[in-house]
Amino acid sequence: EHNRHHNSTFDLLNHGEFGWDPANWLYTLQEWTMEWYGWCTVPLVPLWHFCGANDTGFLFACLWWLNFPDSGLGGKCDKGFYSKWLPVRAKHVSFQLFLWSCVWLLGSV
């Protein structure tokens, strides 16, 4: 019955449905062409994945870091960026720096 459910359910994920989609560049090695020679990049997919180009990887996190929040009207900076997002990011980075410093101190003592 579970398989019948998946066979009858429409795929709700449409890439690029809401404009910028962070998953677009994750699949470039698989979807760059529909011709037969597109299969030449298949051996590179595990390497691309290992470099962090996956839904929970480092490159994906950097992409979100650089593109969120979306620009305001006319390509201007989001109104809440400096009042909301930048302080939260600074706290987060400071906390991470503190934790990694503790790890370094534990290893060096």
Side-chain angles (χ1 to χ4, degrees):
E1 186 171 329
H2 184 75
N3 287 339
R4 283 188 293 193
H5 159 74
H6 282 285
N7 289 335
S8 65
T9 304
F10 176 72
D11 185 12
L12 299 176
L13 177 62
N14 294 321
H15 293 292
E17 181 179 5
F18 301 108
W20 176 77
D21 190 355
N24 286 345
W25 67 283
L26 295 177
Y27 305 113
T28 55
L29 291 176
Q30 299 167 354
E31 298 175 349
W32 65 281
T33 182
M34 297 305 284
E35 300 294 329
W36 67 270
Y37 49 82
W39 284 93
C40 296
T41 59
V42 169
L44 300 175
V45 171
L47 177 65
W48 184 239
H49 185 80
F50 181 72
C51 290
N54 54 62
D55 291 343
T56 57
F58 178 73
L59 291 176
F60 189 71
C62 289
L63 187 67
W64 267 106
W65 181 272
L66 296 172
N67 289 291
F68 183 81
D70 290 333
S71 302
L73 295 174
K76 296 181 180 177
C77 188
D78 184 53
K79 288 182 181 179
F81 181 74
Y82 291 105
S83 61
K84 179 180 179 184
W85 297 109
L86 192 61
V88 169
R89 286 183 178 184
K91 289 176 191 174
H92 178 72
V93 168
S94 300
F95 183 68
Q96 283 183 330
L97 184 62
F98 168 73
L99 288 179
W100 282 112
S101 299
C102 291
V103 170
W104 179 78
L105 284 171
L106 282 172
S108 63
V109 173

